[in-house]
Each structure stands twice: as C-alpha cells, then as structure tokens.
Amino acid sequence: MSFAVIQIVSQTDVALNLRRARHLLEQAAEAGARLAVLPENFAAIGHKDPALLGRTEATGEGPILPWLKRTARDLRLWIVAGTIPLPPEDNPQGRPNACSLLFDDQGQRVARYDKLHLFDADVADSRAHYRESDDYAAGQQLVVADTPVGRLGLTVCYDLRFAELYTALRTAGAELISVPSAFTTVTGEAHWEILIRARAIETQCYILAAAQGGEHPGSRLTYGHSSIVDPWGRLLCEQATGEASLVALRDADEQTAIRQRMPVQRHRRFSVPCLVTDRLE
C-alpha cells in the first residue's frame, strides 16, 4: 500500500527527461511503491508546439507513450503520467488537452484525465503572463479509477484552487488524489502547502502532489516542494527543490477511522453537480 511522488526539473530535451524520470521511478519501485505520480509536463516543459507534440504521440510516432508503457511494465509499477499534450479523443486535429494518464503495472493505459482548469493568470515573476488556454483546450469530465493502493481521483496543478472538484472526487469514492504540478515560485510560496493540506483535510484523502522543482528554459522557475499529505492534513514527506523520489505508506485503517470520527461527507449541506467517469479502456 505504498505510493510515490516524483520531483524532477524537466527541460526541453524529451529523451533526457525520460531518462531522469526512469531513474527516479526505479528508486520508487525499489522502495516498494505500487503507484508513482510524475509531475506536470514531466517529458518536456516549454515546448514550442504542444499541438505537434501531441499529434505525434497520438499517431504512435512519439517516444513518450511507448516509454510509459514499457516503464510501467518493466518496473511492475502503476504510473500517473503527470501531463502530456494529446488531442481530444473525438477530434484528432483539435487543440490538445493537458492529459494526465494512468498506466497499470502491465503497461496498459486505464484512464485519461484532461485538465479542467487552465492557468490563465498574471504572476509577479519574470514571465508575468501565463495563458495556458492559448495552447490547450479545457477538459470536460472528472475521472476516478481503482488502483492497488486505493481509488484514485485525477487532478492537475491549477485544479488545486477549485475545492468543488475535490469534493466531487470524494463523492465519487476517491481515497487518494494525484496532483501533478508545475507551480510558479511566486504562487507556490504563497499557496502551495496551504492548498494541498486543505484539499486533504476537506476530502479526507491522501494528496499525492508531484511537482517540478527548479529552473527551466526561458528562466522559468518552479516551486517544487513535492509532498504526500495524509487525510488528517499531515505532511508525510516533502522535497524542496531538485530531483527526488518520495515514498509513503497508505494506512487504510487510519483513513477509515478519520472518516468515521468526523463524517464530513455525510454532513455536507450542498451538493456538487459533476460528471464523473472511471474512463476504463
């Protein structure tokens, strides 16, 4: 019942990023993790043409999807593949979604979550303006899936600011929630720990927050501080910056006890309308 979060400092070189990610996933598997979460944009960050990268992967000509299948199978490890750009399943020529994919330990893709909330914001850093919607289309559906370590809800980065999404995942039975991220240093210093701990406390879920943690092309800085938070809001492990493989144990009995002692889900007075799918393939 162990899981891991991976922190890396991705560059534009896809092959290099995949080599580094493989090394860190090997560490997670050797430490006994059954599931590992890679950060947002783990295979490439700052890519000039996400749509082209996504179409190449979708047509089977790219390196990332075959690498994910092979790595999951080789390491006998379930992998949440951070995010990669992929075109919508019903529109191969459309703008890509920022997709978080779940692979099982046989290398089969079992779920796809398209990031719902796109980061269009002004930040007081060297980049100043972030307009994710210029390159990506927003997703339309929540996704949960069963894994060996519990029922997993899938989210990405900016989603953290929308508590209703996490409440909906808890309603759909989530016991742990993945949050591959690439927070800026400015927003990370202000809000990262507060948000991941709040989402854990509200949902009484484990939060698996895998982040980018360093300097990227174009002088872009990400905050790091990858963490695993338990259902009581305690930080079980954390890595400030640089690369790391963090592993923690899920205590299912304690999680059940927390939910029984404080049954917040039963006490909710407001329902959250949502579309949730297991997206099993």
Side-chain angles (χ1 to χ4, degrees), residues 182-237:
F183 259 56
T184 71
T185 54
V186 171
T187 57
E189 288 173 355
H191 300 145
W192 172 256
E193 182 178 328
I194 296 169
L195 287 170
I196 60 175
R197 295 183 68 188
R199 298 296 87 88
I201 294 165
E202 292 163 354
T203 62
Q204 299 171 318
C205 287
Y206 285 87
I207 300 295
L208 280 57
Q212 296 278 354
E215 185 171 355
H216 311 277
S219 298
R220 179 177 177 178
L221 295 174
T222 50
Y223 182 61
H225 291 78
S226 294
S227 305
I228 297 175
V229 186
D230 78 2
W232 193 244
R234 294 171 292 210
L235 283 172
L236 300 182
C237 50

Coordinates of all heavy atoms in Angstrom, one line a residue, residues 182-237:
A182 N 3.3 22.2 -11.7 CA 4.4 23.0 -12.0 C 4.1 24.4 -11.6 O 4.1 25.3 -12.3 CB 4.7 22.9 -13.5
F183 N 3.9 24.5 -10.2 CA 3.6 25.8 -9.7 C 4.8 26.8 -9.9 O 5.9 26.4 -9.8 CB 3.4 25.7 -8.2 CG 1.9 25.7 -7.8 CD1 1.0 24.8 -8.3 CD2 1.4 26.6 -6.9 CE1 -0.3 24.7 -8.0 CE2 0.1 26.6 -6.5 CZ -0.8 25.7 -7.1
T184 N 4.5 28.1 -10.1 CA 5.5 29.1 -10.1 C 6.0 29.3 -8.7 O 5.4 28.9 -7.7 CB 4.9 30.4 -10.6 OG1 4.1 31.0 -9.6 CG2 4.2 30.2 -11.9
T185 N 7.2 29.8 -8.6 CA 7.8 30.1 -7.3 C 6.9 31.1 -6.5 O 6.7 30.9 -5.3 CB 9.2 30.6 -7.3 OG1 9.3 31.7 -8.2 CG2 10.1 29.5 -7.9
V186 N 6.4 32.1 -7.2 CA 5.6 33.1 -6.5 C 4.3 32.5 -5.9 O 4.0 32.7 -4.7 CB 5.3 34.3 -7.5 CG1 4.3 35.2 -6.8 CG2 6.5 35.0 -7.9
T187 N 3.5 31.8 -6.8 CA 2.3 31.2 -6.3 C 2.5 30.1 -5.3 O 1.8 29.8 -4.4 CB 1.4 30.8 -7.5 OG1 2.1 29.8 -8.3 CG2 1.0 32.0 -8.3
G188 N 3.6 29.4 -5.6 CA 4.0 28.2 -4.7 C 4.3 28.7 -3.3 O 3.8 28.1 -2.3
E189 N 5.1 29.7 -3.2 CA 5.5 30.2 -1.8 C 4.2 30.7 -1.1 O 4.1 30.6 0.1 CB 6.5 31.4 -2.0 CG 7.9 30.9 -2.4 CD 8.8 32.0 -2.7 OE1 8.4 33.2 -2.7 OE2 10.0 31.7 -2.9
A190 N 3.3 31.3 -1.8 CA 2.1 31.9 -1.2 C 1.1 30.8 -0.8 O 0.4 30.9 0.2 CB 1.5 32.9 -2.1
H191 N 0.9 29.8 -1.7 CA -0.3 29.0 -1.6 C -0.2 27.5 -1.6 O -1.1 26.7 -1.3 CB -1.3 29.4 -2.7 CG -1.7 30.8 -2.6 ND1 -2.0 31.5 -3.8 CD2 -2.0 31.6 -1.6 CE1 -2.4 32.8 -3.4 NE2 -2.3 32.8 -2.1
W192 N 1.0 27.0 -2.1 CA 1.1 25.5 -2.4 C 0.8 24.6 -1.2 O -0.1 23.8 -1.2 CB 2.5 25.2 -2.9 CG 2.8 23.8 -3.1 CD1 3.6 23.0 -2.2 CD2 2.4 22.9 -4.1 NE1 3.8 21.7 -2.7 CE2 3.0 21.6 -3.8 CE3 1.6 23.0 -5.2 CZ2 2.8 20.5 -4.6 CZ3 1.4 21.9 -6.0 CH2 2.0 20.6 -5.7
E193 N 1.5 24.8 -0.1 CA 1.3 23.9 1.1 C -0.1 24.1 1.7 O -0.8 23.1 2.0 CB 2.3 24.2 2.2 CG 2.1 23.3 3.4 CD 3.2 23.5 4.4 OE1 4.3 23.8 4.1 OE2 2.8 23.2 5.6
I194 N -0.6 25.4 1.7 CA -2.0 25.6 2.2 C -3.0 24.8 1.4 O -3.9 24.2 1.9 CB -2.3 27.1 2.2 CG1 -1.3 27.9 3.1 CG2 -3.7 27.4 2.5 CD1 -1.4 29.4 2.9
L195 N -2.8 24.9 0.1 CA -3.8 24.3 -0.8 C -3.8 22.7 -0.7 O -4.9 22.1 -0.6 CB -3.6 24.7 -2.2 CG -4.0 26.1 -2.6 CD1 -3.5 26.5 -4.0 CD2 -5.5 26.3 -2.5
I196 N -2.6 22.1 -0.7 CA -2.6 20.7 -0.7 C -3.1 20.1 0.6 O -3.7 19.1 0.7 CB -1.2 20.1 -1.1 CG1 -0.1 20.6 -0.2 CG2 -0.9 20.4 -2.6 CD1 1.3 19.9 -0.5
R197 N -2.7 20.8 1.7 CA -3.2 20.4 3.0 C -4.7 20.6 3.2 O -5.4 19.8 3.7 CB -2.4 21.1 4.1 CG -0.9 20.7 4.1 CD -0.2 21.3 5.3 NE -0.6 20.8 6.6 CZ -0.2 21.2 7.7 NH1 0.6 22.3 7.8 NH2 -0.6 20.7 8.9
A198 N -5.2 21.7 2.6 CA -6.6 22.0 2.7 C -7.4 20.9 1.9 O -8.5 20.4 2.4 CB -7.0 23.4 2.2
R199 N -6.9 20.6 0.7 CA -7.7 19.6 -0.1 C -7.7 18.3 0.6 O -8.6 17.5 0.5 CB -7.1 19.5 -1.5 CG -7.1 20.8 -2.3 CD -8.5 21.2 -2.7 NE -9.1 22.1 -1.7 CZ -8.9 23.4 -1.7 NH1 -8.2 24.0 -2.6 NH2 -9.5 24.1 -0.7
A200 N -6.6 17.9 1.3 CA -6.5 16.6 2.0 C -7.5 16.7 3.2 O -8.3 15.7 3.4 CB -5.1 16.4 2.6
I201 N -7.6 17.7 3.9 CA -8.4 17.8 5.1 C -9.9 17.8 4.7 O -10.7 17.1 5.3 CB -8.1 19.1 5.9 CG1 -6.7 19.0 6.5 CG2 -9.2 19.4 7.0 CD1 -6.2 20.4 7.0
E202 N -10.2 18.6 3.6 CA -11.6 18.6 3.2 C -12.2 17.3 2.7 O -13.3 17.0 2.9 CB -11.7 19.7 2.1 CG -11.5 21.1 2.5 CD -11.2 22.0 1.3 OE1 -11.1 21.5 0.1 OE2 -11.2 23.2 1.5
T203 N -11.3 16.6 2.0 CA -11.8 15.3 1.4 C -11.4 14.1 2.2 O -11.9 13.0 1.9 CB -11.1 15.1 0.0 OG1 -9.7 15.0 0.2 CG2 -11.4 16.3 -1.0
Q204 N -10.6 14.3 3.2 CA -10.1 13.1 4.0 C -9.4 12.1 3.1 O -9.6 10.9 3.2 CB -11.2 12.6 4.8 CG -11.7 13.6 5.8 CD -13.0 13.1 6.5 OE1 -13.9 12.5 5.9 NE2 -13.1 13.4 7.8
C205 N -8.7 12.6 2.1 CA -8.0 11.8 1.1 C -6.5 12.0 1.3 O -6.0 13.1 1.8 CB -8.4 12.1 -0.3 SG -10.0 11.6 -0.9
Y206 N -5.7 11.0 0.8 CA -4.3 11.3 0.6 C -4.1 12.1 -0.6 O -4.7 11.9 -1.6 CB -3.5 10.0 0.4 CG -3.3 9.2 1.7 CD1 -4.3 8.3 2.1 CD2 -2.2 9.3 2.5 CE1 -4.1 7.5 3.3 CE2 -2.0 8.6 3.6 CZ -3.0 7.7 4.1 OH -2.8 7.0 5.2
I207 N -3.2 13.1 -0.5 CA -2.9 14.0 -1.7 C -1.5 13.7 -2.1 O -0.5 13.8 -1.3 CB -3.1 15.5 -1.3 CG1 -4.5 15.8 -0.9 CG2 -2.7 16.4 -2.5 CD1 -5.6 15.6 -1.9
L208 N -1.4 13.3 -3.4 CA -0.1 12.9 -4.0 C 0.3 14.1 -4.9 O -0.1 14.1 -6.1 CB -0.2 11.6 -4.7 CG -0.1 10.3 -3.9 CD1 -1.2 10.3 -2.8 CD2 -0.2 9.1 -4.8
A209 N 1.1 15.0 -4.4 CA 1.4 16.2 -5.1 C 2.9 16.2 -5.6 O 3.8 16.4 -4.9 CB 1.3 17.4 -4.2
A210 N 3.0 15.8 -6.9 CA 4.3 15.7 -7.6 C 4.6 17.0 -8.4 O 3.7 17.3 -9.2 CB 4.3 14.5 -8.5
A211 N 5.7 17.6 -8.1 CA 5.9 19.0 -8.7 C 7.2 19.0 -9.5 O 8.2 18.3 -9.2 CB 5.9 20.0 -7.6
Q212 N 7.3 20.0 -10.4 CA 8.5 20.4 -10.9 C 9.2 21.3 -9.9 O 8.6 22.1 -9.2 CB 8.3 21.3 -12.2 CG 7.6 20.5 -13.3 CD 8.7 19.7 -14.1 OE1 9.9 19.8 -13.9 NE2 8.2 18.9 -15.1
G213 N 10.6 21.2 -9.8 CA 11.2 21.9 -8.7 C 12.6 22.5 -9.1 O 13.6 22.1 -8.6
G214 N 12.6 23.5 -9.9 CA 13.9 24.2 -10.3 C 13.7 25.1 -11.4 O 12.7 25.7 -11.7
E215 N 14.9 25.3 -12.2 CA 14.9 26.3 -13.3 C 14.8 25.5 -14.6 O 15.4 24.5 -14.8 CB 16.2 27.0 -13.2 CG 16.3 28.1 -14.3 CD 17.5 29.1 -14.1 OE1 18.2 28.9 -13.1 OE2 17.7 29.9 -15.0
H216 N 14.0 26.1 -15.5 CA 13.7 25.5 -16.8 C 14.0 26.5 -17.9 O 14.4 27.7 -17.6 CB 12.2 25.2 -16.8 CG 11.7 24.4 -15.6 ND1 11.8 23.1 -15.5 CD2 11.1 24.8 -14.5 CE1 11.3 22.7 -14.4 NE2 10.8 23.7 -13.7
P217 N 14.0 26.1 -19.1 CA 14.3 27.0 -20.2 C 13.5 28.3 -20.1 O 12.3 28.3 -19.7 CB 13.9 26.2 -21.5 CG 14.1 24.8 -21.1 CD 13.6 24.8 -19.6
G218 N 14.1 29.4 -20.6 CA 13.5 30.7 -20.5 C 13.4 31.3 -19.2 O 12.6 32.2 -18.9
S219 N 14.4 30.8 -18.3 CA 14.5 31.3 -16.9 C 13.2 31.1 -16.1 O 12.9 31.8 -15.1 CB 14.8 32.8 -16.9 OG 16.0 33.1 -17.5
R220 N 12.4 30.1 -16.5 CA 11.2 29.8 -15.7 C 11.6 29.0 -14.5 O 12.4 28.1 -14.5 CB 10.2 28.9 -16.6 CG 9.0 28.5 -15.8 CD 8.0 27.7 -16.7 NE 6.9 27.3 -16.0 CZ 5.9 26.6 -16.5 NH1 5.9 26.3 -17.8 NH2 4.8 26.3 -15.8
L221 N 11.0 29.5 -13.4 CA 11.3 28.8 -12.1 C 10.0 28.2 -11.5 O 9.0 28.8 -11.5 CB 11.8 29.9 -11.1 CG 13.2 30.5 -11.4 CD1 13.5 31.6 -10.4 CD2 14.3 29.5 -11.4
T222 N 10.2 26.9 -11.1 CA 9.0 26.3 -10.5 C 9.4 26.0 -9.0 O 10.5 25.9 -8.6 CB 8.7 24.9 -11.2 OG1 9.9 24.2 -11.3 CG2 8.1 25.2 -12.5
Y223 N 8.3 25.9 -8.2 CA 8.4 26.0 -6.7 C 8.9 24.6 -6.1 O 9.6 24.6 -5.1 CB 7.1 26.4 -6.1 CG 7.1 26.5 -4.6 CD1 7.9 27.4 -4.0 CD2 6.3 25.7 -3.9 CE1 7.9 27.5 -2.6 CE2 6.3 25.8 -2.5 CZ 7.1 26.7 -1.9 OH 7.1 26.9 -0.5
G224 N 8.6 23.5 -6.7 CA 8.9 22.2 -6.1 C 8.1 21.9 -4.9 O 6.9 22.1 -4.9
H225 N 8.7 21.5 -3.8 CA 8.0 21.1 -2.6 C 7.0 20.0 -2.9 O 5.9 20.0 -2.4 CB 7.4 22.3 -1.9 CG 8.4 23.2 -1.3 ND1 9.1 24.1 -2.1 CD2 8.8 23.4 -0.1 CE1 9.9 24.8 -1.3 NE2 9.8 24.4 -0.1
S226 N 7.4 19.0 -3.7 CA 6.6 17.8 -3.9 C 6.3 17.2 -2.5 O 7.2 17.2 -1.6 CB 7.3 16.8 -4.7 OG 7.4 17.2 -6.0
S227 N 5.1 16.7 -2.3 CA 4.6 16.3 -1.0 C 3.6 15.2 -1.1 O 2.9 15.0 -2.1 CB 4.0 17.4 -0.2 OG 4.9 18.6 -0.1
I228 N 3.5 14.4 0.0 CA 2.4 13.5 0.2 C 1.8 13.9 1.5 O 2.5 14.0 2.6 CB 2.9 12.0 0.3 CG1 3.5 11.6 -1.1 CG2 1.7 11.1 0.6 CD1 4.1 10.2 -1.1
V229 N 0.5 14.2 1.5 CA -0.3 14.6 2.6 C -1.3 13.6 3.0 O -2.0 13.0 2.1 CB -1.0 16.0 2.3 CG1 -1.6 16.5 3.6 CG2 0.0 17.0 1.8
D230 N -1.4 13.3 4.3 CA -2.4 12.2 4.7 C -3.8 12.8 4.9 O -4.0 14.1 4.8 CB -1.9 11.5 5.9 CG -2.0 12.2 7.2 OD1 -2.6 13.4 7.3 OD2 -1.6 11.7 8.3
P231 N -4.8 12.0 5.2 CA -6.2 12.5 5.3 C -6.4 13.4 6.5 O -7.5 14.1 6.5 CB -7.0 11.2 5.4 CG -6.2 10.2 4.8 CD -4.8 10.5 5.1
W232 N -5.5 13.5 7.4 CA -5.6 14.5 8.5 C -4.9 15.8 8.2 O -4.9 16.7 9.0 CB -5.1 13.8 9.8 CG -5.4 14.5 11.1 CD1 -4.5 15.1 11.9 CD2 -6.7 14.7 11.6 NE1 -5.2 15.7 13.0 CE2 -6.6 15.4 12.8 CE3 -8.0 14.4 11.2 CZ2 -7.6 15.8 13.6 CZ3 -9.1 14.7 12.0 CH2 -8.9 15.4 13.2
G233 N -4.3 15.9 7.0 CA -3.6 17.1 6.6 C -2.1 17.2 7.0 O -1.5 18.2 6.9
R234 N -1.6 16.0 7.4 CA -0.2 16.0 7.9 C 0.7 15.7 6.6 O 0.5 14.9 5.8 CB 0.1 14.9 8.9 CG -0.6 15.1 10.2 CD -0.6 14.0 11.1 NE -1.4 12.8 10.6 CZ -2.0 11.9 11.3 NH1 -1.8 12.0 12.7 NH2 -2.7 10.9 10.8
L235 N 1.8 16.5 6.6 CA 2.8 16.2 5.5 C 3.6 15.0 5.9 O 4.4 15.0 6.9 CB 3.8 17.4 5.4 CG 3.3 18.7 4.7 CD1 4.3 19.8 4.9 CD2 3.1 18.4 3.2
L236 N 3.5 14.0 5.1 CA 4.3 12.7 5.4 C 5.7 12.8 4.8 O 6.6 12.2 5.4 CB 3.6 11.5 4.8 CG 2.1 11.3 5.3 CD1 1.6 10.0 4.6 CD2 2.1 11.2 6.8
C237 N 5.9 13.5 3.7 CA 7.2 13.7 3.2 C 7.2 14.9 2.2 O 6.1 15.3 1.7 CB 7.7 12.5 2.4 SG 6.5 11.8 1.2

